[in-house]
Amino acid sequence: MRTRLICAAVCLLASVSPASAWIEAPMSFGEVIRQSQTICLMTVTKVDKQNNLIIYQKTADLKGKHPQDTIKHNIGRGGLRPGEWQEIMNWAEVGKTAVFFHNGSASETFFGASWYQAYPNGEWWGMSHGEPFLLRSFAGKVDKCAQAVRDIEAGKEIVVSCMVDGDKEALHKKTAKVQRVKASNKLLEYNPKRDFVGWGGEDIRRVAGMPGFDKLAALGKTDADAQAISVVDFDGDGKPDVCLAGANKVALLQNNGDGFGEVSLPGLVGGSRAAVWADYNADGKPDLLLATATGPKLYTNLGKGLFRDDTKVMPALETPVSAAAWGDFDGDGMPDVLLATAFDGLKLFRNIRTVPKTAPPPPPTFGPWHAVGPFRKMPDGKENFETAFSPEDEKTLPDFAKVHKGKRDMECKWTKQEFADGAVGSLAPFGANCAVYLHREIGAPAARDLPVTFGTGGSLTVWLNGEKIHSEKVERQAAADQSRVTLKLKAGKNQLLVKTCHGSGENGFAFNGGTASGPSTEPAFADATAAWGLGADGLCGSHRGDTLSVADFDGDGKPDVLFGAATGVLVLNRSGKFECRTDSGIAYKPGKIGPALCDFDGDGSVDVFVPQPTGSKLFRNLGGGKFEDATARAGDLVKLSAHAVGAAWGDFDNDGKPDLVVACLRGPNRYFRNAGNGSFEDRTDAVGLSQKVFNSQAAALADLNSDGRLDLILNNEGQDSVALFAAVPAEPAKATAVTVQVPGGSGKVTVTGADGKPVASAELFGGDGRGGQTAVPRFVLPPGTYKLAVRGTDGSTREKPIAVASSPMSVKPD
């Protein structure tokens, strides 16, 4: 289909070589999508191996609406090289899936192993040749290809796997090196040098020689000066996602179950010293705060892996920020921002949004889209925008059976369309230089205002319940979130009618009903630095530090701060001001290390492990902001002499006690099993971490695949970061993993048994480790009945009884 999508390949028989080669220009994946009028996912329903026939059933439209539900391919025995058709027929089995790209004439089919081109011939499509050079555009799994199309159509910038250009024979043989590159509907020029992200694919693969782990996923590099890991379900699908931060790059990795797909942050250049999450606007989705060299950056989570730069809702601050953390310091239920700066000391931005007093209204329900067209004003079509065509006679509720007179007097009927919210759907089948009408019914349980956005390949007019509410005459290329409109819905059924008049470029349409974009204009934070005694002339004003660990260290219910400066400064929250606890008992050498927080002994107070280049330390919380050095009584932990820089707590062996993984440079990472009574056993060799030097700067533990076992994520220096998936033990577990989804991402969770006595507790930290956090509390409990209590930072408490059986479970308190 390289002339009009990637037209037929040019075949050249080189006289100096016995092999034939194709000469054709490589294309970015975004350009392949742009040139396709329709793209669909299809499943093999029948295979005739004798006659080389494959019959597919369309299962989902990814771009536009492909007119065929049954797609028949005659593979024949053709191709430009021997073996092309055999590869396709060897792959073809009932139930397998492929992605079909069609530009109106030629087509390309990606079936996982490679691509092939086909042309229409009546009801059948005839394969002309294989197209392995399209592996330079995309090479990976079919489901990832389909998701990549959806994401790019939704306006996202993502990362895809593809093969390296250069050695054409290696592309034919599928042995070319695999790389990961950025892809979007704006990156149309093929430029792997500009778009390069890392080497290798992102699939989860088996790993040998590590008894504690059976699978590994490469997560790409954060380049030099790797820093932090945050684990949070940012897309709301129930699976923990991963954020890797380094001084030169921030990578958001969406957990797709069988791999990780990278999504981008709009406008971010460079990296961050911290990446921490909290729901600052109380919409139920975690938002991202970064500490960058040009100041703090705040990204509002719009859902579905989309983010918006809303840094302007914070007070302006254009000085380098070395650390960032969240904390509801004033106890109003809304998270505030704490920053460590290079020149202005600690800065506190108080969240001035108010907690909603009532529950948000139930979400609206959206009916299917219907469209009718094309319409054109004679003689030249220049007045389509001003002309009221016949569908406007029925603005309140169209008669879908009615036949309209369209362009050149053709008969037009309403047809059902499958447009995905937030993605650009193609209107190309309606033609060019015309008007098209679209209708959708929206149900509202109660009257409400609903901000939505539209995207059109030309002018836009919108009616709601027969009233014109928006009109703009524009010339543009269709993209998501171009025009923001507020729909004032009445209770019950609402009729939305849209008219779009095609201008230049491709004819398309997008609608986003609930994640309306466009930067916020109202301030969400106010500078409270001076009021709380901070700043260049205030508390810690002369200190320079690179970590902020936020937790309730003194047990009074208010978040405090451990600042990675001087010898470690414990800053206590005194309800409206901060004060330093000079006799806290915590003392260590800060700088490029990150304390890790956990109640390791189960007494309900937060303890602190501090990695050090030599002689790491464990501080046990005595209460009231006092700590003791418990390293000498910590068993094998006192023998740790590795160059430790980061650490993560988590119950890796599922025995109910949190264990410790230590991230090390120039040597293997270490695993210490919590033996109880403050003692730890070095089980590094037993789980296989001694088999490989990852050169890790940060570590995190989270159950990435929902199997009830904690997996290990490592942010590595100078090599790919990785996720190591825990192996299933030979003996069944005697206890069950329970994760708790805490709305808002802040507070303390306590578990009590049937006798009413506390069993376990966990606090959600606003900053932990080297500028990251793990935002999902997890407990390992024997089967039985329990009660969860979540204490909010505003003093409120929510409770929920749970019955724990043998299967891992996730719980969300009421």
Side-chain angles (χ1 to χ4, degrees):
M1 287 156 49
R2 281 285 188 267
T3 63
R4 309 183 61 183
L5 179 50
I6 305 158
C7 201
V10 178
C11 182
L12 173 67
L13 183 61
S15 59
V16 295
S17 172
S20 62
W22 295 335
I23 301 174
E24 46 179 18
M27 300 178 70
S28 72
F29 193 53
E31 177 65 9
V32 173
I33 294 172
R34 188 193 71 82
Q35 291 193 25
S36 302
Q37 290 185 8
T38 64
I39 305 173
C40 66
L41 183 65
M42 55 187 188
T43 302
V44 178
T45 58
K46 188 175 181 180
V47 179
D48 184 339
K49 296 280 188 179
Q50 182 175 354
N51 296 304
N52 287 358
L53 305 177
I54 306 174
I55 297 179
Y56 298 93
Q57 183 69 28
K58 182 180 72 171
T59 55
D61 283 301
L62 307 176
K63 178 181 180 180
K65 184 175 183 180
H66 189 71
Q68 295 172 308
D69 290 326
T70 300
I71 305 171
K72 302 178 180 180
H73 282 200
N74 183 349
I75 304 303
R77 287 172 173 78
L80 299 179
R81 287 169 62 104
E84 287 183 0
W85 66 267
Q86 288 98 327
E87 179 183 40
I88 301 167
M89 293 310 301
N90 288 339
W91 162 85
E93 294 178 6
V94 173
K96 288 191 172 181
T97 58
V99 181
F100 188 59
F101 298 73
H102 179 217
N103 77 325
S105 57
S107 72
E108 296 286 355
T109 298
F110 178 68
F111 60 100
S114 190
W115 298 71
Y116 66 86
Q117 187 175 105
Y119 286 86
N121 184 13
E123 65 173 329
W124 286 86
W125 293 78
M127 190 276 277
S128 59
H129 57 265
E131 198 79 279
F133 287 1
L134 272 178
L135 293 169
R136 298 174 296 189
S137 304
F138 186 93
K141 291 185 176 181
V142 170
D143 59 343
K144 284 197 172 184
C145 180
Q147 187 59 46
V149 172
R150 292 187 182 100
D151 288 343
I152 289 176
E153 279 292 284
K156 298 181 185 179
E157 181 180 287
I158 61 172
V159 176
V160 299
S161 300
C162 60
M163 289 187 177
V164 175
D165 189 26
D167 187 342
K168 302 300 190 289
E169 195 62 26
L171 288 167
H172 282 300
K173 294 179 179 179
K174 322 298 188 299
T175 58
K177 194 172 182 179
V178 176
Q179 61 182 346
R180 297 189 304 281
V181 299
K182 292 181 289 186
S184 76
N185 56 17
K186 296 180 180 178
L187 299 174
L188 303 180
E189 173 194 2
Y190 182 80
N191 190 340
K193 183 177 181 180
R194 175 197 64 196
D195 301 332
F196 179 81
V197 172
W199 296 109
E202 295 174 345
D203 293 340
I204 298 172
R205 57 184 184 270
R206 291 283 175 181
V207 62
M210 303 182 76
F213 307 93
D214 58 7
K215 294 184 290 293
L216 177 148
L219 303 179
K221 293 181 181 178
T222 51
D223 299 323
D225 207 356
Q227 181 80 17
I229 302 173
S230 291
V231 182
V232 63
D233 179 14
F234 62 70
D235 60 359
D237 65 353
K239 298 187 292 290
D241 306 302
V242 176
C243 177
L244 302 177
N248 296 289
K249 180 183 177 181
V250 175
L252 288 186
L253 303 173
Q254 203 165 18
N255 187 346
N256 298 319
D258 62 348
F260 295 86
E262 188 170 341
V263 299
S264 64
L265 293 169
L268 180 64
V269 178
S272 176
R273 291 290 182 184
V276 286
W277 301 76
D279 180 14
Y280 84 89
N281 56 2
D283 67 351
K285 298 183 287 292
D287 307 300
L288 176 60
L289 175 68
L290 301 178
T292 81
T294 58
K297 299 281 284 185
L298 177 63
Y299 286 94
T300 300
N301 189 342
L302 303 178
K304 302 180 182 179
L306 294 173
F307 292 85
R308 180 180 67 216
D309 185 350
D310 276 339
T311 303
K312 289 186 177 180
V313 305
M314 294 191 298
L317 182 64
E318 297 180 356
T319 187
V321 177
S322 57
W326 296 97
D328 179 15
F329 299 107
D330 57 5
D332 66 353
M334 301 295 284
D336 309 306
V337 169
L338 184 66
L339 305 169
T341 70
F343 309 110
D344 298 324
L346 296 176
K347 304 285 287 188
L348 177 63
F349 294 161
R350 180 175 170 269
N351 193 328
I352 57 176
R353 290 176 177 262
T354 57
V355 179
K357 300 300 182 183
T358 59
T365 57
F366 296 95
W369 283 105
H370 290 81
V372 63
F375 299 92
R376 187 166 71 185
K377 174 70 175 178
M378 298 302 289
D380 55 11
K382 292 182 179 179
E383 301 175 4
N384 290 334
F385 177 69
E386 292 85 3
T387 302
F389 297 101
S390 55
E392 294 185 34
D393 297 336
E394 302 171 332
K395 299 185 189 74
T396 54
L397 184 60
D399 179 2
F400 292 126
K402 183 176 179 178
V403 178
H404 296 266
K405 183 182 290 187
K407 183 173 69 173
R408 298 193 181 95
D409 293 333
M410 69 172 63
E411 292 186 348
C412 301
K413 294 182 179 180
W414 289 94
T415 57
K416 189 176 179 181
Q417 304 291 318
E418 295 183 7
F419 295 136
D421 269 15
V424 178
S426 176
L427 294 178
F430 292 95
N433 190 22
C434 66
V436 176
Y437 289 84
L438 301 105
H439 174 271
R440 190 178 210 180
E441 186 172 272
I442 304 176
R448 61 170 295 176
D449 288 354
L450 179 70
V452 301
T453 61
F454 295 89
T456 55
S459 299
L460 170 68
T461 309
V462 181
W463 295 266
L464 180 65
N465 298 323
E467 178 184 354
K468 183 187 290 188
I469 60 172
H470 184 83
S471 181
E472 57 181 320
K473 190 174 184 179
V474 291
E475 292 282 340
R476 61 191 181 190
Q477 182 83 17
D481 301 329
Q482 290 173 316
S483 301
R484 185 179 180 122
V485 179
T486 296
L487 305 181
K488 293 185 176 297
L489 302 178
K490 64 181 182 180
K493 296 180 179 180
N494 295 263
Q495 309 302 324
L496 179 66
L497 181 67
V498 180
K499 175 186 178 183
T500 174
C501 300
H502 174 248
S504 60
E506 291 190 23
N507 198 1
F509 174 74
F511 175 83
N512 200 342
T515 58
S517 189
S520 295
T521 57
E522 296 183 2
F525 296 87
D527 194 335
T529 301
W532 282 69
L534 303 176
D537 299 324
L539 200 66
C540 302
S542 61
H543 294 324
R544 302 290 178 266
D546 61 358
T547 59
L548 291 167
S549 303
V550 175
D552 179 12
F553 290 106
D554 62 357
D556 65 354
K558 299 185 293 291
D560 310 301
V561 182
L562 178 59
F563 184 26
T567 58
V569 183
L570 183 61
V571 182
L572 298 181
N573 184 344
R574 294 307 187 207
S575 299
K577 65 177 182 177
F578 288 114
E579 68 177 37
C580 290
R581 181 70 189 253
T582 56
D583 62 344
S584 69
I586 296 177
Y588 63 93
K589 183 179 180 180
K592 295 189 175 182
I593 61 96
L597 312 179
C598 178
D599 175 15
F600 77 85
D601 55 3
D603 65 355
S605 299
V606 177
D607 308 303
V608 181
F609 172 78
V610 183
Q612 298 275 255
T614 57
S616 298
K617 296 185 177 183
L618 178 66
F619 295 101
R620 179 174 175 269
N621 195 332
L622 301 176
K626 288 284 290 182
F627 290 79
E628 65 171 355
D629 188 337
T631 312
R633 303 192 303 274
D636 290 342
L637 199 59
V638 73
K639 305 174 186 177
L640 177 62
S641 59
H643 188 147
V645 292
W649 291 94
D651 188 358
F652 185 75
D653 61 357
N654 278 357
D655 68 349
K657 299 183 292 294
D659 309 305
L660 181 67
V661 173
V662 182
C664 302
L665 299 178
R666 297 184 290 278
N669 299 314
R670 309 292 287 275
Y671 165 59
F672 293 91
R673 178 181 175 272
N674 190 337
N677 299 318
S679 178
F680 292 82
E681 301 172 352
D682 190 337
R683 302 298 300 273
T684 303
D685 292 340
V687 299
L689 281 178
S690 55
Q691 299 300 310
K692 182 173 175 59
V693 175
F694 287 103
N695 210 37
S696 301
Q697 290 277 18
L701 288 162
D703 185 0
L704 297 173
N705 55 2
S706 303
D707 66 350
R709 307 284 302 181
L710 283 178
D711 310 304
L712 176 61
I713 307 114
L714 300 170
N715 194 351
N716 299 327
E717 183 84 16
Q719 56 182 296
D720 270 339
S721 298
V722 298
L724 292 168
F725 290 83
V728 178
E731 296 183 5
K734 297 179 181 180
T736 302
V738 179
T739 56
V740 184
Q741 306 294 329
V742 179
S746 62
K748 184 173 183 178
V749 183
T750 303
V751 182
T752 55
D755 58 1
K757 295 181 179 180
V759 174
S761 67
E763 185 172 340
L764 291 176
F765 305 127
D768 189 18
R770 294 196 61 188
Q773 64 192 160
T774 300
V776 181
R778 179 180 182 272
F779 305 96
V780 179
L781 305 171
T785 57
Y786 300 87
K787 180 182 287 184
L788 288 176
V790 179
R791 187 193 70 196
T793 52
D794 60 352
S796 63
T797 300
R798 284 167 292 176
E799 296 184 344
K800 184 181 183 70
I802 59 171
V804 177
S806 58
S807 298
M809 59 188 298
S810 178
V811 180
K812 186 174 182 179
D814 296 331

